[in-house]
Each structure stands twice: as C-alpha cells, then as structure tokens.
Amino acid sequence: MAQDSGSTERSSSVSSYDEAMDALSSLITQKYRADASNNGNRFELMFDYVKILDLEESISKMKIIHVAGTKGKGSTCTFTEAILRSCGFRTGLFTSPHLIDVRERFRLDGLDIGEEKFLAYFWWCWDRLKEKCNDDIPMPNLFRFLALLGFKIFAAEQVDVAIMEVGLGGKFDATNVVQTPVVCGIASLGYDHTEILGNTLGAIAGEKAGILKKGVPAFTVPQPDEAMEVLKEKAAQLDIPLQVAHPLDSKLLNGLHLGLVGDHQYLNAGLAIKLCSTWLQNTGHLEPDSMDQDTSLPHQFIKGLTTATLQGRAQIIPDPSLDIENRGDLVFYLDGAHSPESMEVCAHWFSLAIKEDDRQQSYQSNQEPDSSGTSNELVPLKSGETASKDSAQILLFNCMSVRDPQLLLPRLIKACGGHGINFNKALFVPNMSLVTKVGSSSSLPSTDSAVDISWQLTLQRVWENIILGERGNPNNGAELVSIESKDHSETGIKSCENSVVFSSLPMAIKWLRDAAKQDRSVRLQVLVTGSLHLVGDVIKLLKK
C-alpha cells in the first residue's frame, strides 16, 4: 500500500470498522451545509484541513476531473472513470452518497476501497485532525472529512486520474478545494436543495458554476436557457469557453448498450466522452483533435461506456427470498431519483422496463437469474408461468422532508400514466438509515417502534389527493389488478384506498412478500424511489 510513514500507527485489529463508523458519526451535524447565508460555513477552513494533512502539494499535482450538477453527475463520473480505466489508467473515483457502506464513496480502479486500506487511511487523517483542530479550527463535518479522506487515499495510492463528484452545489462544496483541475463538467441542472442553493435555475447554476476555474476547460450539457445564461456568464468572467456536450449517438456503440440503463444516460455519456478526451489531450496522452467523436469512438471508450455500473440507479432486483421458479413474482425496480426532473426520467425507465419484463414473461425462459439476484440490465426472469399472469405496479416511496411531494409525485404519476402505467398501491415508509449515524454493511439499524411517521402520513395525503383527482378523470379508466396482503392492522399505521403507511421498511417488505405468496396469479412490480437512502436500505434488506 503506497502511503506515508505513520499511516499504519493504528492497526485495524485495534480499531475496528465499527469504531471508525462511530467516529464518523460524531462529525454529523444538521447545520453543516455551506451556503451564501453562512459565508460558506467558513469554507476557508478546508484549506486549513488540507494543510494539517499535508495534502497541498499532492492535490495541486493530482490530475483531477471535477463534476457538478443537479442530476446525472454521478452517472457522468461513473462513465468517465470506466472509460479512463479501460484506457489503462489507475483511477480514483469519489462519489456520494453511499447506499450501503461508506467505502463505496472511494473507488480504486473501479472497486470500492478495501476495509484494511480504508481503516489505515481513515485513522491517519482522523488522528492528525484530532491533534491539530481546536476552537478556531474545529473538526470538519462529515462530508468535508470524507472529501479530505478521498484526496488522501488518491494521493497515497498514486492514481493517474481522480474523478471528484461534487456533493452539493459547487462554490462552497468540500471538493472545491481543488484549484487546478484538468477539466470541469456540469451535468444537467434542475430544482433540488433549493433551500440552500436558491429557488431559481439561475441561482442554482451560479452555485454549480463555482467549480469553474480560470484556464481550465469546461463542458456542460444542453441546459434550460436561464441556467445556460448564468453558466456562460460565469465562464466568460473566467475567460474560458464553455463547450456544450451533446448526447452520445447510440450508433457509435457498435450495437452494444450503455452500462447504465435509460435514454437520459446518453446525455451523461456524451459529457463523459468530452471530459475524457479533454483529459487525455491535456495530460499529453492524446493528440488534440485526433479523435472525431461524431463518427467513431476508440474501443476503450466503448468498453468503458458499456461496462460502467452504478448501484441504485435503474437497478432491477428479483426478490431473493422467493424460490427460483417464483422469483419473478416480486421484482424491485430501484432508482434513487429525488428531484422533479429525475422523477420523470425514473418513471419513463420504470414504465419501459416493466413492459419489457411483461414481454419477456410471455415466453418460457431457460435462463436462470444471476446468482446474486441483481442486475443493472433487463434480464428474463424465470417464473415458470406464462403471459396469463397479471402484473400489478406498486410504489415504495420516501423522500426528505425538505423536498416538496407536490412537485415530485405528480410528475411520477403523470409520466407513468403517459405509458399507460397506473400504480395499484403506494407504500410510504421511513428510511432505516439514520441521519445521525454512519452505518456499515455488516448490520442493519434496529427498527424503532417509536419512529415519527408524521412525514409519511403527509406523503400519503398528497398521494390520495392526486389519485382522487386522476381516477376521477373519465379519461383515466384504467383497470387495476386487485392486490392485497393479509390484514395489516398490526403493521400498517394507516391504510387508505390507494396507499398504506408502514412504521418500518421491513414491515412493508413483509407485506409485499405476503402478497406475492398469497396470490400466485399476480406479479408484483415495485418501484422504489424518492430517496437514495431508501434505495440503499432496500438493497441491504434484500441481501440479508
């Protein structure tokens, strides 16, 4: 392991992984988000932390690709990493949030950092910050610490390229301690975190554009006019051209498909291609203008684009608790969409995915499911049944209380409805992941029977009002399959005609499994969305 002397002072046998998670949890604060109203929450402290960790020179020499955006930045970073890894470079990828284990945020050569390495680097940073921090320079909050840890890992592991995804905004984001990236990218912009970034696209674009640097090439995707004007203005102030990357032409993949599912991914892939080709040129690995991205792609680019994977986005998991013959009776469609725009994209993906699933189910398939029960692509799900089975669509939903369900849920319902898809039932649950604790993959937090579900009841009221209006529309006469499980008076806090609120996610999963076992003539297709934390909780439960 390439690391500084002293980084193994504290061995993993002495400091367990759970102890590290407890230490991380102590950095969580509800007042950590930096914005203009709090002067970036003293953003200048980041440079003090970098100095304490002796990372100034390492970061300045690191060949970084920096990416911001409202939606698509994680996918763009994933494509970018996969392309450059396919080109033979040692890659480091920093993303957020994690779904199951915090080590997901730090990927080396496409793999989550191993536990032993993670612990060594974690305690190296932790001990030095603990020793040097004081009242004037307090310990960094959680995300800032994780960003610093990412820089430490990538510097010590001597990666050729570090792809850094912005956590929130851009100007005051912890990753923006980077002063000389090789290239910057801004993915699609939309309304999210408006309580911090502003409630206009112009204000949001201004915060995201904070990652742009003088002399550093910058790319974005086609944006709404209001956002594009601000981005161009910020770029002009820095005397840099802002180039627009257009969606990838699928024909350039030579008959293959993107590793990340969904039509919107061609937009993210197009941005990733520009970031990679520019990085290759500016680091001396590719002659300028030697690649015509409009007519062909190098085979390494195609390999990266078609093998990229990202957990929790457009992911399909047949329920592993059912036997192989009936695994297709309960299938979870997971997507961490949590903005109005991404809700619409998620709805289109889900609608097309279940139609393809229904089409595949009309044939007897001899193909067994993947041994893990998971897939990022649509695969035939052997159920032993034919097209005589009815299918029912169920929504499993939660979102943060700072988000407006009046903006999220109607977009989801309308987009699904446009494909002729109507939900039979919506299930609302609190997340299991706690905002006050960083968990590990080895254990699930215990279900708190006294959990506050007032927000879920609010979501239910919004849903029922929307459905009442939709179903009252004479043009919406969709026939819905009757779906019901055993009496849920003990598990459901409140049951309405079109929805149920559960006090915990495990109770909702049990209700779905009971329903699938009760009526073998119906296949349940469950869309899990609204929160990446919820998606992570579901994946963790299904793996147990």
Side-chain angles (χ1 to χ4, degrees):
M1 179 158 80
Q3 60 184 28
D4 301 339
S5 62
S7 62
T8 55
E9 291 171 1
R10 189 193 297 255
S11 70
S12 58
S13 61
V14 175
S15 301
S16 71
Y17 195 70
D18 285 339
E19 285 179 308
M21 294 305 100
D22 288 340
L24 272 180
S25 298
S26 71
L27 301 179
I28 296 174
T29 166
Q30 299 309 301
K31 298 180 179 180
Y32 72 95
R33 283 181 164 169
D35 57 34
S37 67
N38 62 15
N39 296 317
N41 197 14
R42 296 185 65 194
F43 177 68
E44 71 279 0
L45 286 173
M46 278 299 299
F47 297 96
D48 293 320
Y49 301 139
V50 167
K51 190 172 183 178
I52 289 172
L53 296 176
D54 196 24
L55 289 173
E56 293 167 298
E57 184 178 359
S58 298
I59 293 176
S60 68
K61 290 182 176 179
M62 210 176 288
K63 295 178 174 61
I64 293 171
I65 297 175
H66 202 189
V67 183
T70 304
K71 54 189 185 296
K73 63 182 186 292
S75 298
T76 298
C77 289
T78 299
F79 280 132
T80 301
E81 185 279 331
I83 290 172
L84 293 177
R85 176 161 40 89
S86 295
C87 289
F89 295 100
R90 179 157 173 73
T91 60
L93 174 62
F94 175 76
T95 59
S96 63
H98 63 274
L99 294 185
I100 298 175
D101 194 297
V102 73
R103 292 182 292 113
E104 297 166 26
R105 297 177 185 239
F106 316 95
R107 303 190 87 182
L108 295 168
D109 292 328
L111 299 174
D112 299 349
I113 187 172
E115 188 171 307
E116 185 177 349
K117 279 187 177 183
F118 173 83
L119 286 171
Y121 292 129
F122 174 87
W123 291 117
W124 190 95
C125 293
W126 181 269
D127 290 342
R128 278 152 186 76
L129 287 168
K130 271 292 186 183
E131 179 185 354
K132 298 290 186 180
C133 286
N134 50 46
D135 290 342
D136 293 327
I137 305 177
M139 281 290 285
N141 63 47
L142 175 64
F143 185 78
R144 287 181 175 178
F145 181 89
L146 293 174
L148 292 162
L149 178 56
F151 287 122
K152 172 60 184 176
I153 290 171
F154 298 154
E157 290 291 321
Q158 300 176 350
V159 300
D160 298 315
V161 56
I163 300 104
M164 305 295 294
E165 179 193 352
V166 167
L168 175 66
K171 182 179 181 181
F172 297 122
D173 187 74
T175 61
N176 206 31
V177 73
V178 174
Q179 298 299 294
T180 55
V182 174
V183 61
C184 293
I186 297 179
S188 298
L189 299 180
Y191 293 96
D192 196 17
H193 300 296
T194 53
E195 77 284 1
I196 298 162
L197 304 178
N199 54 16
T200 67
L201 281 179
I204 291 170
E207 290 297 315
K208 307 286 185 181
I211 70 165
L212 303 182
K213 304 291 188 300
K214 189 174 181 65
V216 177
F219 294 88
T220 188
V221 297
Q223 304 281 8
D225 291 343
E226 182 184 355
M228 188 65 83
E229 287 178 14
V230 173
L231 294 180
K232 288 182 176 179
E233 180 184 341
K234 295 285 185 180
Q237 291 171 2
L238 295 167
D239 195 28
I240 55 173
L242 179 68
Q243 301 179 58
V244 177
H246 295 287
L248 167 68
D249 184 345
S250 61
K251 295 177 183 176
L252 298 183
L253 295 177
N254 298 337
L256 300 175
H257 299 283
L258 290 175
L260 306 183
V261 179
D263 291 342
H264 62 290
Q265 295 295 358
Y266 288 90
L267 186 66
N268 301 323
L271 179 56
I273 289 170
K274 288 292 187 183
L275 295 175
C276 289
S277 59
T278 301
W279 186 89
L280 288 167
Q281 290 171 16
N282 289 8
T283 54
H285 297 286
L286 186 69
E287 289 294 321
D289 303 320
S290 63
M291 193 175 94
D292 185 358
Q293 301 161 32
D294 295 324
T295 58
S296 66
L297 289 175
H299 69 89
Q300 297 97 328
F301 277 54
I302 294 174
K303 180 182 178 182
L305 291 167
T306 56
T307 58
T309 59
L310 186 59
Q311 191 171 224
R313 275 80 163 183
Q315 185 175 6
I316 302 172
I317 304 181
D319 182 27
S321 76
L322 301 179
D323 52 53
I324 293 294
E325 289 73 19
N326 296 297
R327 192 161 287 181
D329 288 352
L330 177 57
V331 181
F332 293 87
Y333 297 76
L334 303 111
D335 192 84
H338 50 268
S339 71
E341 296 85 1
S342 58
M343 273 289 141
E344 197 166 309
V345 170
C346 169
H348 288 304
W349 163 73
F350 174 65
S351 300
L352 295 175
I354 62 173
K355 286 182 179 181
E356 176 66 10
D357 179 18
D358 290 344
R359 184 188 68 78
Q360 291 177 350
Q361 284 285 353
S362 66
Y363 301 97
Q364 289 284 351
S365 171
N366 293 321
Q367 181 175 342
E368 296 292 342
D370 182 270
S371 60
S372 66
T374 66
S375 173
N376 277 325
E377 296 185 17
L378 298 179
V379 295
L381 303 171
K382 184 177 178 181
S383 67
E385 300 287 347
T386 62
S388 60
K389 278 201 174 190
D390 290 319
S391 61
Q393 290 75 50
I394 296 177
L395 176 66
L396 181 57
F397 188 91
N398 192 33
C399 68
M400 293 174 60
S401 58
V402 294
R403 298 198 167 93
D404 186 354
Q406 300 278 10
L407 296 177
L408 301 179
L409 293 175
R411 292 282 280 269
L412 178 69
I413 292 170
K414 184 176 180 181
C416 285
H419 289 276
I421 303 299
N422 296 279
F423 290 99
N424 298 68
K425 191 84 74 174
L427 313 182
F428 298 103
V429 295
N431 292 347
M432 295 182 70
S433 301
L434 303 175
V435 296
T436 56
K437 182 171 176 58
V438 180
S440 70
S441 59
S442 61
S443 62
L444 280 167
S446 59
T447 302
D448 184 358
S449 59
V451 67
D452 179 10
I453 46 86
S454 57
W455 174 243
Q456 286 67 43
L457 292 171
T458 297
L459 295 175
Q460 182 182 49
R461 284 193 294 271
V462 172
W463 179 265
E464 290 291 336
N465 287 336
I466 297 170
I467 296 299
L468 184 63
E470 290 284 322
R471 303 272 160 86
N473 184 345
N475 295 323
N476 190 346
E479 291 283 332
L480 294 180
V481 176
S482 176
I483 173 67
E484 194 61 73
S485 179
K486 296 174 182 176
D487 176 49
H488 46 68
S489 57
E490 293 182 5
T491 57
I493 297 297
K494 184 177 181 182
S495 177
C496 294
E497 182 179 355
N498 306 293
S499 61
V500 185
V501 171
F502 290 94
S503 60
S504 76
L505 176 59
M507 289 177 178
I509 298 293
K510 182 180 184 303
W511 184 90
L512 288 165
R513 286 172 169 167
D514 287 345
K517 292 172 184 175
Q518 263 181 255
D519 189 349
R520 293 294 192 184
S521 67
V522 177
R523 289 185 296 112
L524 304 184
Q525 298 163 323
V526 184
L527 174 61
V528 184
T529 191
S531 163
L532 272 168
H533 297 291
L534 175 63
V535 167
D537 290 342
V538 170
I539 293 173
K540 192 182 291 188
L541 272 175
L542 295 180
K543 284 185 175 181
K544 286 295 178 183

